[in-house]
């Protein structure tokens, strides 16, 4: 193929990518270096890295950063383990599989805002779990600035786990029965079979689920936003912090909000690049 | 290494299907027993019951003196080679072969030694660091064997291990497996649908049909003296030709009438099997092995009253011999083999296969005389399909 024909084939996707990705990214970076407000978009002032220094000195940023990191660090591994366990159970079910599958998928299907409200009503004063807590400890459970992050994390695990369940369950269906039986004959118990047969078979799916959910958990928004309405900043994750700064606050500091977004993009790259590199190298080695 | 005894093994599935009925077999120490039958005859179920992958509905299974019905597969001291090899794709050949040892917590150094020894026997030494995906079919097959060998089990189970190999490799692996088994002296239970494998590999062969054991015997005995019509047709390739017939008194001796054909019988045939006298003027089944037929033009001194009239349909020259298919005016008998390719012919005109010497000049369409070695005919009861041998 000549360079010219290659160009003809490639230009439509290059054009689409430019419009959808490069242009917004460049605009974001540009805006992040200006002072510009939502109520008056016409006045714009170039201020270099001032927004960034301001953010890095803002305790609200660090609070949101810590919450986001904690969320990713707990939700991602927890839901992979839980998803694997549930997929295993589902794999054992022979009757009414569809029913269980649908029931497991429910948290994933419900609109995140709605599911957050559900969880809030369960945990907050007057809710069922709050009442149970009172039965056990004597005091009703109340969501406040100190414990809200755990409720957000719990909700995160609950709502994302079905994704891992259905992916792993689908993967298990492609595992040849013979391989399990061979492990049986070779002397493998339950855990050995998981370790040497099932998990290796699901390996690429596990990596896929990890990649997707790290990105997804990193931009957690809905639950953080909803809880933020009642308990304030301590419920804010990075994306809510960015949203509030740029669009929600009285002034609407678009420049600063964009700077937060740029920092988030850099952050996710830092998290994912070693990951991507490792799985790429393995793919090459396996070939 | 041990004796293995199956005592009335029966398998009934939850849906009521009875796959195996009262299967009783004894394997002596070091014996290579082949269980052979057409597809869906219950042979794999039998094997899986022995392995412990399928629950035994009724009957007892002994390995040595131990009844193992309720023992988990891994504790039965039985190793199995699967049809699709069932290797672990993420492990190297060495890890695959050593896996059962690893699970038994055997130290790495010792494991390495045992695996190396097995690899030597199986000619896999060069491949130890490769993954299964990079091996040929035959090599994968040998890795699966290796995984079974290193355990030094009381019993090997093999479930159609050659069915995924191409024809040429199959012939070689057939000999290889039989050779390895003989060297190791491990009692082996081998399941196949291929009667050639059964005949060439087994010390003894057990023929099974619809979950019921038909006959167990050494390969030659199975071929020479089949117990019933099914075994007669199933063992041997091409299959035995089977027709409805009648024994009639003729002069001082006897003859067999098959449709429009009559073949004189040696006195010795009746003398060896006096029971045949009871069948005079009674319908029975007669069986003719293709190798007991010959072109009349090739061997000319054959008595004329032991010849069939035939019109050649198809000629298959194999070099050393020529298979000749011709129409015969007689009614064929269904042996009950669901895998049998030849459809039953129309009433009164059915097919017959002869294994002729390569010297035959007969061509399709030719009307020829076919010599029958009547002393080798097989006779079976018409209703029970059991052999008349006494």
């Amino acid at each position: 193929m000549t360079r010219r024909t290659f160009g003809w084939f490639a230009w439509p996707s290059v054009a689409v990518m430019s419009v959808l990705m490069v242009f917004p990214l460049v605009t974001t970076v540009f805006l992040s270096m200006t002072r510009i407000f939502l109520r008056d978009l016409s006045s714009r002032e170039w201020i270099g890295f001032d927004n960034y220094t301001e953010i890095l000195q803002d305790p609200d940023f660090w609070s949101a950063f810590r919450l986001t990191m904690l969320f990713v660090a707990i939700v991602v591994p927890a839901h992979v383990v839980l998803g694997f366990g549930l997929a295993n159970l589902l794999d054992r079910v022979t009757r009414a599989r569809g029913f269980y599958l649908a029931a497991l998928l429910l948290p994933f299907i419900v609109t995140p805002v709605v599911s957050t409200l559900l969880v809030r009503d369960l945990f907050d004063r007057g809710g069922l779990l709050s009442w149970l807590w009172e039965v056990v400890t004597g005091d009703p459970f109340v969501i406040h600035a100190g414990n809200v992050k755990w409720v957000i994390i719990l909700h995160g695990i609950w709502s994302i786990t079905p994704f891992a369940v259905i992916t792993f369950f689908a993967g298990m269906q492609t595992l040849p029965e013979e391989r399990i039986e061979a492990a049986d004959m070779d002397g493998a118990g339950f855990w050995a079979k998981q370790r040497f047969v099932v998990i290796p078979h699901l390996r690429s799916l596990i990596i896929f689920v990890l990649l997707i959910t790290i990105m997804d958990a990193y931009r957690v928004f809905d639950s953080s936003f909803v809880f933020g309405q009642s308990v304030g900043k301590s419920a804010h994750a990075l994306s809510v912090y960015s949203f509030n700064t740029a669009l929600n606050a009285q002034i609407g500091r678009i420049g600063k909000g964009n700077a937060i977004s740029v920092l988030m993009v850099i952050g996710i790259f830092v998290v994912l690049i070693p990951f991507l590199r490792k799985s790429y190298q393995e793919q090459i080695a396996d070939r | 290494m041990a004796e293995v005894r199956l005592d009335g093994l029966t398998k009934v599935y939850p849906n009521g299907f009875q796959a195996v009925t009262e299967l009783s077999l004894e394997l002596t120490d070091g014996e290579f027993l082949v269980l052979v039958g057409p597809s869906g005859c219950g042979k794999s179920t039998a094997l899986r019951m022995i392995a412990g992958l399928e629950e035994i509905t009724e009957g007892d299974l002994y390995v040595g003196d131990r009844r193992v019905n309720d023992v988990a597969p891994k504790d039965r001291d039985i190793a199995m080679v699967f049809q699709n090899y069932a290797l672990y794709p993420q492990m190297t050949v060495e890890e695959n072969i050593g896996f059962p040892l690893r699970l038994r917590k055997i130290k790495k150094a010792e494991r390495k030694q045992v695996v190396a020894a097995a690899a030597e026997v199986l000619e896999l030494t060069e491949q130890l660091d490769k993954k299964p995906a990079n091996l040929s079919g035959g090599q994968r097959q040998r890795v699966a064997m290796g995984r079974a060998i290193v355990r030094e089990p009381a019993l090997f189970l093999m479930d159609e291990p050659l069915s995924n190999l191409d024809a040429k490799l199959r012939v070689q692996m057939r000999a290889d497996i039989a050779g390895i088994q003989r060297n190791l002296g491990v009692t082996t239970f081998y399941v196949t649908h291929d009667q050639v494998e059964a005949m060439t590999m087994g010390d003894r062969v057990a023929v099974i049909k619809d979950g019921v054991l038909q006959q167990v015997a050494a390969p030659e005995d199975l071929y020479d003296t089949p117990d019933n019509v099914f075994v007669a047709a199933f063992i041997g390739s091409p299959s035995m030709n089977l027709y409805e017939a009648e024994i009639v008194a003729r002069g001082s001796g006897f003859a067999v009438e098959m449709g429009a054909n009559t073949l004189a019988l040696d006195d010795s045939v009746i003398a060896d099997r006096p029971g045949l006298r009871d069948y005079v003027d009674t319908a029975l089944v007669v069986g003719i092995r293709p190798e007991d037929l010959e072109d009349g033009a090739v061997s000319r001194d054959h008595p004329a009253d032991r010849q069939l009239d035939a019109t050649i349909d198809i000629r298959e020259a194999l070099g050393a011999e020529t298979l000749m298919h011709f129409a015969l005016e007689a009614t064929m008998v269904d042996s009950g083999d669901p895998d049998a390719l030849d459809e039953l012919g129309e009433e009164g005109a059915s097919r017959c296969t002869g294994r002729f010497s390569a010297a035959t000049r007969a061509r399709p369409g030719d009307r020829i005389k076919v010599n029958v070695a009547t002393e080798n005919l097989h006779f079976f009861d018409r209703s029970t399909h059991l052999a008349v041998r006494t």
Side-chain angles (χ1 to χ4, degrees), chain B residues 253-300:
Chain B
F254 292 94
V256 57
E257 267 183 18
M258 301 151 38
N261 302 278
T262 307
L263 296 166
L265 292 176
D266 262 351
D267 289 344
S268 65
V269 172
I270 303 291
D272 289 348
R273 284 168 279 195
L276 280 178
R277 288 179 189 277
D278 300 340
Y279 286 89
V280 172
D281 296 328
T282 308
L284 48 50
V285 176
V286 68
I288 313 171
R289 290 256 179 231
E291 30 291 57
D292 292 330
L293 296 170
E294 182 56 275
D295 184 353
V298 170
S299 100
R300 291 172 178 284

Side-chain angles (χ1 to χ4, degrees), chain A residues 19-40:
Chain A
V19 172
L20 294 181
M21 291 184 67
V22 179
F23 174 70
L25 199 62
V26 169
T27 314
T28 304
V29 173
F30 172 75
L31 285 174
S32 77
M33 302 204 177
T34 61
R35 178 174 290 132
I36 174 171
F37 299 100
L38 186 58
R39 50 171 189 202
D40 181 13

Side-chain angles (χ1 to χ4, degrees), chain B residues 141-377:
Chain B
Q141 173 60 61
R142 290 205 295 270
V143 175
M145 289 272 295
R147 204 170 49 181
I149 287 174
V150 292
R151 285 178 49 189
E152 299 182 9
L155 175 68
F156 275 161
L157 298 177
M158 301 198 187
D159 185 10
E160 309 224 9
L162 302 183
S163 57
N164 284 342
L165 303 177
D166 63 61
K168 212 167 192 174
L169 197 53
R170 202 178 306 161
V171 173
Q172 194 204 324
M173 283 302 293
R174 215 157 68 193
D176 286 358
I177 290 180
I180 291 166
Q181 192 271 341
R182 237 140 258 168
N183 285 339
L184 298 173
V186 180
T187 317
T188 301
F189 190 84
Y190 185 108
V191 159
T192 180
H193 67 273
D194 182 351
Q195 57 94 21
V196 178
E197 261 173 47
M199 296 293 279
T200 52
M201 299 176 81
D203 293 325
R204 280 192 306 155
V205 176
V207 183
I208 185 173
K209 177 198 167 214
D210 297 337
V212 179
L213 187 64
Q214 305 290 310
Q215 187 175 2
V216 195
E220 313 80 63
D221 296 340
L222 216 53
Y223 179 83
D224 291 336
T225 53
D227 273 353
N228 60 37
V229 168
F230 176 77
V231 175
F234 192 76
I235 299 295
S237 174
S239 267
M240 184 186 280
N241 303 292
L242 293 158
Y243 304 100
E244 285 181 12
E246 213 170 273
I247 293 191
V248 292
R250 205 170 123 185
S252 58
F254 292 94
V256 57
E257 267 183 18
M258 301 151 38
N261 302 278
T262 307
L263 296 166
L265 292 176
D266 262 351
D267 289 344
S268 65
V269 172
I270 303 291
D272 289 348
R273 284 168 279 195
L276 280 178
R277 288 179 189 277
D278 300 340
Y279 286 89
V280 172
D281 296 328
T282 308
L284 48 50
V285 176
V286 68
I288 313 171
R289 290 256 179 231
E291 30 291 57
D292 292 330
L293 296 170
E294 182 56 275
D295 184 353
V298 170
S299 100
R300 291 172 178 284
D301 47 1
H302 197 80
D305 59 357
R306 289 166 202 187
Q307 286 184 321
L308 300 168
D309 291 311
T311 308
I312 303 296
D313 275 337
I314 300 166
R315 170 195 157 98
E316 294 177 291
L318 301 178
E321 62 196 21
T322 299
L323 295 184
M324 214 61 98
H325 302 267
F326 46 88
L328 197 66
E329 283 172 41
T331 310
M332 285 185 89
V333 173
D334 181 6
S335 70
D337 178 359
D339 294 344
L341 290 174
D342 41 331
E343 301 269 315
L344 291 179
E346 285 168 44
E347 187 91 13
S350 45
R351 285 203 275 152
C352 186
T353 307
R355 180 178 274 183
F356 289 2
S357 127
T360 178
R361 293 282 155 261
R363 286 287 182 276
D366 289 0
R367 184 91 184 148
I368 63 162
K369 294 280 185 193
V370 176
N371 299 343
V372 182
T374 54
E375 66 279 12
N376 293 338
L377 291 181

Side-chain angles (χ1 to χ4, degrees), chain B residues 130-147:
Chain B
K130 289 188 186 165
K131 297 246 173 101
N134 300 322
L135 299 178
S136 70
Q139 287 168 338
R140 283 180 213 181
Q141 173 60 61
R142 290 205 295 270
V143 175
M145 289 272 295
R147 204 170 49 181

Side-chain angles (χ1 to χ4, degrees), chain A residues 177-190 192-193 195-201 203 285-287, chain B residues 48 51 53 73-74 78-80 82-91 99-100 102-104 131 147 151:
Chain A
E177 187 70 15
E178 245 190 13
R179 215 178 286 158
I180 296 271
E181 291 176 347
D184 271 330
M185 301 293 297
D186 283 343
F190 174 79
K193 270 187 277 185
R195 180 173 159 206
F196 295 112
V197 181
V198 182
I199 293 177
H201 180 72
R203 201 190 141 78
D286 271 358
R287 214 161 275 163
Chain B
R48 292 170 60 83
L53 299 171
K74 66 192 176 83
I78 292 173
M80 180 158 168
F82 288 82
Q83 185 170 7
N84 299 312
Y85 322 136
L87 302 179
Y88 308 112
Q90 80 277 15
M91 298 183 195
F99 187 59
R102 181 173 174 187
L103 291 175
R104 280 167 184 73
K131 297 246 173 101
R147 204 170 49 181
R151 285 178 49 189

